[in-house]
Amino acid sequence: MTLTVCIGSACHLKGSKETTRILEGLIDEHHLRDQIQFYAAFCMGNCQNGVSVSLDGTVYSVTPETAQQFFETEVLPRIGK
């Protein structure tokens, strides 16, 4: 599974650094480093929304406030947890 967080200018202003920190922490907390490839990227073309997060090619708008919910409802079910 590939999880990518946009760190471009617009997403940076919307909290991409904190979103990245939260998602990395959840990956570690659930011991999923071997199952999730985690990347940062510049502009995913979704600048008008929250922080752009791509999960296996599907782009979601995530904020630091919704990062844990996103992880629990989108990421964990895809890996069977």
Side-chain angles (χ1 to χ4, degrees), residues 16-56:
S16 65
K17 184 175 181 179
E18 181 68 7
T19 301
T20 299
R21 187 191 64 76
I22 291 167
L23 292 174
E24 280 187 309
L26 290 166
I27 290 168
D28 287 341
E29 179 182 322
H30 291 274
H31 309 286
L32 299 173
R33 284 283 174 188
D34 59 334
Q35 296 180 51
I36 298 174
Q37 297 174 348
F38 190 68
Y39 299 104
F42 289 100
C43 197
M44 294 180 186
N46 193 33
C47 303
Q48 68 278 12
N49 296 313
V51 177
S52 295
V53 176
S54 172
L55 179 60
D56 288 336

Side-chain angles (χ1 to χ4, degrees), residues 65-77:
E65 295 78 23
T66 63
Q68 182 165 348
Q69 179 184 357
F70 166 78
F71 190 84
E72 292 170 355
T73 60
E74 298 294 334
V75 177
L76 290 179

